[in-house]
């Protein structure tokens, strides 16, 4: 964790989108600070965190942007998408509706973002397996059809969080 005392080779902006309460802010907290909060407050407006990683001998500064899933708290969309080279579309594996809404988030993304943006579908809260409402296979098939990378994560247990971010950053690079 933390920045290397070396020059930065690339800065990559990656955005998080998806319904409210799917865990976008906690995925970011886990990735950027290795923290997790049970009583995470709904995001208002836009926030970002950075973390520098060494990928393929290059110092890559990941600038991860997080916004509100709730419509009434969202900031201006075009500014949020501007310059983004990666996007994580997050749903909650225990909330079918959050998965059904992924289509809408993809529409918004494709309407505002660069056409070469790397997109990853993230099924978060994999620690809540007993409450699962979205089978992994359904998400996998959907991701294949839509040409998205796919991973299930748990921000709580820190499962696949690092791996998801490293995968998207590697694909961007
Ligand atoms: P908005 O900011 O409103 O768009 O929501 P968000 O997507 O940022 O959700 P947030 O990260 O605030 O998390 C919502 C709730 O889910 C909080 O109570 C978190 O503690 C919880 N949560 C987030 N990630 C996980 C996870 O991996 N597992 C479990 N069990 N709970 C999680
Ligand atoms: Mg949030």
């Amino acid at each position: 964790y933390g920045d290397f005392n070396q020059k930065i080779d690339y800065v990559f902006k990656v955005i998080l989108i998806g319904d409210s309460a799917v865990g976008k802010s906690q995925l970011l907290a886990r990735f950027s600070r290795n923290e997790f909060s049970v009583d995470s407050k709904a995001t208002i407006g836009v926030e970002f965190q950075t973390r520098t990683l060494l990928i393929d001998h290059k110092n890559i500064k990941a600038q991860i942007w997080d916004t509100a899933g709730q419509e009434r708290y969202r900031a201006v969309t075009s500014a949020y998408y501007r310059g983004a080279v990666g996007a994580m579309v997050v749903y909650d594996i225990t909330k079918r509706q959050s998965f059904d809404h992924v289509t809408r988030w993809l529409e918004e993304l494709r309407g505002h973002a660069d056409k070469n943006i790397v997109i990853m579908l993230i099924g978060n809260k994999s620690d809540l397996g007993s409450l699962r409402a979205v089978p992994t296979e359904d998400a996998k098939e959907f991701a294949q059809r839509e040409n998205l990378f796919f991973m299930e994560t748990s921000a709580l247990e820190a499962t696949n969080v690092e791996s998801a971010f490293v995968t998207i950053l590697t694909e961007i690079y």
Side-chain angles (χ1 to χ4, degrees), residues 19-26 36-38 40-43 67-69 124-125 127-128 154-156:
D19 278 9
S20 182
V22 297
K24 298 180 297 299
S25 297
Q26 291 312 307
F36 180 85
S37 155
V38 210
S40 178
K41 302 277 178 301
T43 304
T67 190
N124 190 41
K125 309 198 186 182
D127 55 285
L128 300 176
S154 167
L156 186 152

Side-chain angles (χ1 to χ4, degrees), residues 1-119:
Y1 290 89
D3 287 6
F4 304 99
N5 288 320
Q6 285 170 24
K7 77 178 210 319
I8 301 296
D9 297 295
Y10 298 98
V11 179
F12 291 153
K13 175 178 174 180
V14 175
I15 57 172
L16 293 163
I17 52 173
D19 278 9
S20 182
V22 297
K24 298 180 297 299
S25 297
Q26 291 312 307
L27 284 167
L28 179 54
R30 179 60 78 193
F31 175 68
S32 59
R33 302 186 302 273
N34 199 19
E35 288 174 8
F36 180 85
S37 155
V38 210
D39 57 350
S40 178
K41 302 277 178 301
T43 304
I44 296 175
V46 171
E47 302 170 352
F48 75 83
Q49 301 275 347
T50 62
R51 191 179 138 196
T52 302
L53 294 94
L54 193 61
I55 295 178
D56 197 23
H57 309 290
K58 301 285 184 200
N59 279 319
I60 292 178
K61 182 180 234 169
Q63 191 182 78
I64 316 294
W65 292 57
D66 178 28
T67 190
Q70 285 185 58
E71 192 67 45
R72 61 187 167 137
Y73 292 145
R74 303 198 67 209
V76 190
T77 333
S78 50
Y80 189 66
Y81 287 104
R82 191 172 305 131
V85 288
M88 287 181 162
V89 185
V90 186
Y91 67 93
D92 174 345
I93 68 147
T94 73
K95 297 267 169 356
R96 181 73 206 191
Q97 184 173 256
S98 72
F99 178 68
D100 294 338
H101 285 170
V102 166
T103 318
R104 289 195 208 165
W105 288 108
L106 287 174
E107 274 169 25
E108 180 168 308
L109 186 58
R110 286 172 174 145
H112 290 88
D114 187 275
K115 65 169 171 39
N116 295 318
I117 194 166
V118 177
I119 308 172

